Amino acid sequence: MDPPQFKSVKAPGNKESFRELMTLFPPEVAKENKAGIQKICYKCEKNVEDLKKCGRCKAIWYCSVECQRADWRNHKQVCNSTGSENFVRLQRLSQNFMANAPLIFYIQQYCALAFNLTAAGGCHPERARRIIVDIGIEPVEITTFLKLPLPDEVANVPRPIRGMLQVTAITKHPESQAIPEDRMVLWRNSRNGAVAAGSGNHPIILVEYRLRENLSTITTTMPIPPPILEIVRERKPFECVSAFRGKFEKPMTENNVIELLNMLIRQDKRGQFKLQVDLNESDIDIIRNFAMADENSPGERRRLLEKTKREDIYVVRLSNHVL
């Protein structure tokens, strides 16, 4: 199936616009995209067909017994533990995220903005670039999110709590700093494949997904095709719809791209993106304590605090609550 041509940029704002968007990307497209995601050896990052999962945690793949043994010193810290459980969730959620073209559309826009790819001479497809996408799990219902930090309310929240993936922050790797060599191997393979396919003029971005700072990450590559660059070059504002503000516009900025991406995921009440999962205790702990975060707090709490300060849904709702 050929990808749709984007004529304008509209933010998700109501059920009708969400249904219209999903007609462009039916579920079978996501299934095809997920099947096409290439898995690589967690140690040497080779892309081979006969990969084997770790027999204990079932969370990561290796191409050989030699690679598994060589990586055991690092992997044993999370294998078959709570860390392994979180890594399995990261693996599944990040793959589902990558399979959904509407979501990747926003990540591509972010990269074009963050790296200034539309500036004269700014594209440089032969240059490697990298971002880190920090994700968190929040309750599907915003009212549940608001109750968890309140001591008098948290005990009344029914369990299990259904959650959804949210992007808490995206960090651009400084272009003045070298990208780790193990990531560069992945970028070079992707770049060579793009050149061989006649797409050598498309910038390729390394995208690293992270659920917790002390756990392993999942890295993939993402091309930035010309239609995305054209949309960003025009800088048309996002057309938004809100129950609180009615129709309004948001300028195309990096923070607004992340907010609209999260809004789209939040609108997926039926779970079509396959990004819903029950909150575990570590997810709940982050939400219960994020409001007290400072420079010494875990990064997950600090990023969630910043997210609640910049996204409209929290600004409006939190004005009526004291955390």
Side-chain angles (χ1 to χ4, degrees):
M1 179 180 292
D2 294 331
Q5 298 298 312
F6 292 99
K7 302 297 184 182
S8 63
V9 181
K10 289 189 177 182
N14 52 42
K15 294 179 180 178
E16 289 71 24
S17 62
F18 182 81
R19 283 196 294 265
E20 180 182 354
L21 178 64
M22 294 309 294
T23 60
L24 297 175
F25 302 98
E28 55 266 24
V29 173
K31 290 180 180 179
E32 292 174 5
N33 290 343
K34 187 174 181 180
I37 293 175
Q38 295 182 339
K39 298 178 178 65
I40 59 175
C41 174
Y42 196 68
K43 176 61 179 176
C44 69
E45 300 199 345
K46 289 181 180 178
N47 174 24
V48 297
E49 292 185 5
D50 191 24
L51 290 173
K52 299 291 192 301
K53 284 185 178 181
C54 171
R56 292 182 64 186
C57 68
K58 315 293 184 185
I60 57 179
W61 296 276
Y62 293 105
C63 67
S64 64
V65 173
E66 290 74 21
C67 275
Q68 183 178 20
R69 288 173 177 169
D71 191 51
W72 177 242
R73 182 177 180 181
N74 295 321
H75 180 54
K76 68 180 179 181
Q77 301 176 42
V78 297
C79 186
N80 221 21
S81 64
T82 301
S84 175
E85 174 194 341
N86 279 324
F87 186 78
V88 171
R89 290 202 304 164
L90 170 63
Q91 185 184 82
R92 181 169 65 84
L93 291 171
S94 60
Q95 287 184 1
N96 288 342
F97 186 97
M98 288 184 282
N100 282 285
L103 307 180
I104 294 302
F105 173 63
Y106 283 103
I107 298 294
Q108 289 171 323
Q109 288 183 72
Y110 177 92
C111 290
L113 289 166
F115 292 107
N116 203 19
L117 298 181
T118 58
C123 196
H124 294 294
E126 74 286 352
R127 181 184 301 168
R129 301 172 175 91
R130 174 189 179 215
I131 62 171
I132 296 177
V133 179
D134 283 290
I135 64 175
I137 311 298
E138 297 179 26
V140 170
E141 299 297 333
I142 187 66
T143 52
T144 303
F145 178 91
L146 297 174
K147 289 179 180 179
L148 287 178
L150 303 175
D152 295 336
E153 295 281 356
V154 64
N156 298 323
V157 176
R159 309 298 176 93
I161 302 171
R162 195 60 177 166
M164 62 183 171
L165 178 147
Q166 288 280 277
V167 174
T168 56
I170 301 180
T171 306
K172 182 179 74 170
H173 185 97
E175 295 188 69
S176 60
Q177 297 181 14
I179 295 173
E181 180 57 27
D182 59 344
R183 271 61 168 183
M184 285 301 300
V185 171
L186 185 61
W187 183 86
R188 292 190 195 102
N189 290 340
S190 185
R191 168 71 179 159
N192 292 337
V195 171
S199 302
N201 62 329
H202 298 179
I204 293 176
I205 312 295
L206 282 161
V207 183
E208 195 159 335
Y209 296 91
R210 180 171 63 182
L211 181 61
R212 301 283 187 271
E213 287 189 342
N214 62 340
L215 295 180
S216 302
T217 59
I218 300 236
T219 306
T220 186
T221 56
M222 179 185 67
I224 312 296
I228 296 295
L229 297 177
E230 185 59 32
I231 288 173
V232 173
R233 188 175 290 113
E234 292 180 359
R235 292 292 203 284
K236 290 183 179 179
F238 295 103
E239 301 172 11
C240 304
V241 180
S242 167
F244 299 99
R245 299 174 57 184
K247 292 184 178 181
F248 62 100
E249 293 184 344
K250 276 183 172 287
M252 184 180 286
T253 66
E254 294 164 36
N255 281 343
N256 286 344
V257 167
I258 298 174
E259 179 177 1
L260 296 173
L261 165 61
N262 286 329
M263 188 190 304
L264 180 58
I265 297 173
R266 191 179 295 279
Q267 278 196 305
D268 181 26
K269 300 298 185 182
R270 296 171 56 189
Q272 292 175 260
F273 290 144
K274 307 297 183 185
L275 295 178
Q276 295 187 5
V277 63
D278 289 344
L279 273 68
N280 62 23
E281 288 305 315
S282 62
D283 300 322
I284 294 172
D285 181 70
I286 290 170
I287 297 171
R288 290 189 64 183
N289 296 286
F290 82 91
M292 298 176 287
D294 56 27
E295 65 274 8
N296 298 317
S297 300
E300 297 87 357
R301 296 182 190 176
R302 288 185 280 106
R303 285 188 288 271
L304 180 56
L305 178 61
E306 291 302 315
K307 180 176 185 283
T308 61
K309 290 180 178 179
R310 68 172 182 261
E311 296 192 1
D312 284 350
I313 190 168
Y314 304 103
V315 174
V316 173
R317 302 278 186 164
L318 290 175
S319 63
N320 297 318
H321 290 74
V322 178
L323 299 185

